[in-house]
Amino acid sequence: MSQLDLITGHITIDSPNILGDHANLLLNDRYVLRVGETLQGPSKVLEPAFRPRNHIPGSRQFFIRFEDGFVWNINQESISHKEATFKVIHDLHQTTLETQLRGLGVTIRVFIPPVSTSEIWTIDLVNQTNTLLVVDLFTSIDFEHGGVMESHAAYDKKAKAIINHTFPYHVSYDDKGWLERTVPALTYMYASVAPKSYGTSKERFMGTNRRGKIPKAITLNTCDNIPTTAAQTAGIMQHRMVLSDHQKTHLHLVIGVALEKDAITKHLSGITDAFVEARLCEAKSFTDGLRQSLLIETPDKAFDHKFNGWFKKQLYNMSVNNRMSAHYPIRNVLQDAMGYALLDPEAALQKLIAILETQTIDGFIQQWQHAKGTGPNGLARLIHSDGPIWLVLTGVAIIEQTGDATTFEEKVPYKDAEPEPIRSHFIRAIRHMAQAIGPHGLCLMKDGDWTDPINGIGREGYGESTWNTLSTIVAIDRLMPYVEDESEIERLKQMKERLTSAIRQHAITKTHVIAGYDDRGHPFGDDSNIAGKRYLNVHTWALMTDMLTEKERLMIQNVIKEMDTPLGPVLIDPPYMDYDPMVGRISLKKAGTTENGSIYNHAVMFKAYAESVSGDPDAALQTILSIMPDHKDNPNRHLQIPSYMPNYAFGLKDSPDFGRSSGHDSTGTTAWIYWVMVESILGIRASTKGLEILDIPATRWPIIRLIRQFKGTTYTVLIRHSDRFAVTVDGIPQQLPVLPYQKTTCHVVVERRVI
């Protein structure tokens, strides 16, 4: 199992024989590597051009051959050695394997330099005996498999590296030129010590298709030193190591991608011990910078390490690296940016502006988009309806994190029209949603709302979404304080009144909130359905509005309670067990997975936000803690490393797999954790007026310390239990909710009532 060290924050793994996902994510903004407990995992290139095929699949083998012919698979990927010690240490900036066998100690370390499309591996060997040790180190790294017409690998004497060329042969004539100029087709493997022999063919190296066998080249104690074409290529090197008693030695391996050979040669010519250590320091400085941007200290040290370090790295990859995807819904980009705005508001604002430029003058914005140089896939051809909503909800939140109200006046062009102020973009988005309504006055569904696999409801153009309607109401409330024109404010109020009336008349019942209506006017998310009787999101988002009576609020809270589990509520209850053409694609998904009845952590965060804005921040805190991958009530908590929030947990409560992590880290959950935790649960809220301290109840934690940056000021905020609400700034009682702006530091004490 993987274990989070509560002192250092490192994650350690003491066996190669574990289940589940225990990989560390090492990254910069151009290159990402997932490395697991046996040092396996893919790497992917994001720049200078994103293409999913630009990655190294990740079969990495490290072998030691002793003089007597005994072979040790150091990372135990294919051959187990019970007598060998084994310890993997994941840190934010590196992963290290420490192991020893037969008097030889080996440490393998890998990290990603901050400005690079490569990974650097260092292999340290130490002779722990009093006699001479002569061993051969064999390293095998699989290159990308380009198929029978693509790959060629050979040793390049000038670069002193094995270089593999893989270029997509299924390209049009017009595409070839720009692909060659922008897409790295070369992968390489370099060693700081010249190899005794080398190989380029995985097949010839192994000599067999069976796993668990000693590779043929190691048995022969030499590689074949020849190139490979039209087969599974690999970078394979043999190094003879002669160690006197207690002597240490090492070598560096650089594995990466490039556009041309000259760039490889230039890069590798400077690989020295000093160069590697300098790049390692830069990698650590990068993750330390993420760590210092927003800090929390609570009685829960495991939570602190995740919040202060591990989850920030996940959020960075979600936002800055666009979830490593060439096709993406703007709702993901915007929500990730909303969370990232607490760490880097200017970077988040640039994400928002880039998305605004794809909005059309009618207020609509295409949900699924694709990166430059790639064509639209199936989802990018669909018309999901919720894009304008997220433009407003996240856009207002991002601008608030900048603290600059003039940003609303910044002019940004439309996809099909001249520039207008950002505020006008938001107003047009609201108008679009409020005018695109169906027979019941609810917002249209089209090919799906936030729950985008519900593509059957509105296939004929008349289906309606309660969630779209509720979230548009929430968006109106968020935008109105920043609208100055009185006539525009009045129009927004009228839109809100019409949508609220439609919700009250056609969605809220005595027992639940209906999720919407299909093209023929039949309800879904209702007792009249066989499956999918309750949808979580329409209940949580109803709690975010001001339309409910106290009786309705209690009814909705009871529905959410019925959908709850020890690990958080399920998204849909009961799930669809068979295909239902009424709702469409969502019913094709296995029951208990993803949107079809899982504990979908992103949606659980909507619940946490609803609880916090409803005046119960402690309930919101408990909701967040319940979905942690290492939560004590999760029967499958050891099947995922605690370094990231998964997309979902398996939701069928009667299944032995209940609670099992999806092992998928692409999720908006992390962004919402930061935003809800800081802004709502702790009540340290950014606004264009300044940093506000909310008068809200205390959480279960008696003392919390938060350090956050806002407009150049570092605020250190101590929150503690009391019998009253009070705020002091640098020892002086503060009456106004907005903290004074200073350009240096500010120490704040917040006392909150325990209810």
Side-chain angles (χ1 to χ4, degrees), residues 456-748:
I457 296 297
R459 60 167 60 94
E460 296 176 14
Y462 303 103
E464 298 163 280
S465 164
T466 299
W467 183 86
N468 272 353
T469 312
L470 288 166
S471 57
T472 300
I473 293 169
V474 175
I476 291 172
D477 287 340
R478 290 288 282 132
L479 179 61
M480 269 211 284
Y482 298 104
V483 177
E484 298 173 346
D485 184 89
E486 291 297 329
S487 61
E488 197 63 66
I489 292 174
E490 184 59 32
R491 283 191 288 270
L492 288 171
K493 287 181 178 179
Q494 291 174 3
M495 284 184 254
K496 177 182 175 182
E497 289 173 2
R498 289 197 301 271
L499 296 176
T500 298
S501 176
I503 289 286
R504 297 200 58 77
Q505 186 175 355
H506 298 292
I508 297 177
T509 74
K510 292 181 179 180
T511 58
H512 63 285
V513 180
I514 295 171
Y517 294 87
D518 72 2
D519 292 310
R520 290 168 176 75
H522 301 142
F524 73 101
D526 182 62
D527 286 334
S528 61
N529 307 131
I530 296 175
K533 295 175 182 291
R534 299 290 184 269
Y535 276 62
L536 178 66
N537 285 351
V538 294
H539 293 87
T540 55
W541 283 74
L543 291 175
M544 300 178 198
T545 71
D546 58 6
M547 72 173 68
L548 301 176
T549 66
E550 185 60 27
K551 184 176 181 180
E552 289 167 341
R553 185 171 294 276
L554 291 173
M555 176 271 292
I556 289 173
Q557 289 172 339
N558 186 59
V559 171
I560 296 172
K561 185 177 180 180
E562 291 174 352
M563 299 180 74
D564 214 351
T565 78
L567 308 180
V570 294
L571 185 58
I572 294 174
D573 191 34
Y576 297 96
M577 306 303 291
D578 300 296
Y579 177 63
D580 184 344
M582 177 186 185
V583 294
R585 188 166 64 93
I586 191 171
S587 61
L588 290 173
K589 300 192 173 192
K590 294 296 183 184
T593 69
T594 61
E595 294 92 345
N596 190 15
S598 78
I599 301 164
Y600 204 84
N601 290 325
H602 190 166
V604 177
M605 286 308 304
F606 297 159
K607 171 180 180 279
Y609 179 64
E611 290 167 331
S612 63
V613 298
S614 298
D616 196 348
D618 192 61
L621 175 60
Q622 177 55 38
T623 294
I624 290 177
L625 295 177
S626 72
I627 60 174
M628 293 290 120
D630 52 353
H631 187 261
K632 63 181 178 62
D633 291 334
N634 190 338
N636 289 296
R637 64 186 181 277
H638 299 318
L639 293 180
Q640 187 212 295
I641 194 170
S643 62
Y644 69 88
M645 284 303 306
N647 184 259
Y648 70 86
F650 189 70
L652 296 187
K653 288 172 279 190
D654 295 332
S655 169
D657 290 317
F658 171 71
R660 186 184 181 101
S661 167
S662 64
H664 182 44
D665 63 2
S666 180
T667 175
T669 308
T670 316
W672 277 78
I673 285 176
Y674 284 99
W675 193 66
V676 173
M677 190 71 201
V678 175
E679 298 267 310
S680 298
I681 295 176
L682 300 185
I684 315 297
R685 183 176 180 271
S687 76
T688 57
K689 299 176 182 178
L691 204 59
E692 299 180 11
I693 306 296
L694 304 184
D695 182 3
I696 57 176
T699 67
R700 68 194 60 195
W701 288 335
I703 296 179
I704 306 168
R705 187 185 305 274
L706 181 78
I707 301 175
R708 73 167 297 183
Q709 313 282 331
F710 185 71
K711 294 188 70 174
T713 298
T714 299
Y715 291 90
T716 301
V717 184
L718 179 68
I719 305 170
R720 63 192 183 196
H721 286 180
S722 180
D723 58 358
R724 65 192 178 99
F725 174 68
V727 179
T728 60
V729 178
D730 294 329
I732 301 173
Q734 179 82 9
Q735 300 301 321
L736 297 175
V738 180
L739 297 180
Y741 168 67
Q742 302 175 17
K743 287 191 175 181
T744 53
T745 60
C746 189
H747 291 81
V748 183

Side-chain angles (χ1 to χ4, degrees), residues 8 33 53 101 112 147 314-315 318 410 451 492 498 504 587 649 708:
T8 65
L33 167 68
R53 67 190 308 284
L101 182 68
I112 307 298
Q314 181 183 8
L315 179 58
M318 296 298 99
E410 184 174 341
T451 314
L492 288 171
R498 289 197 301 271
R504 297 200 58 77
S587 61
R708 73 167 297 183

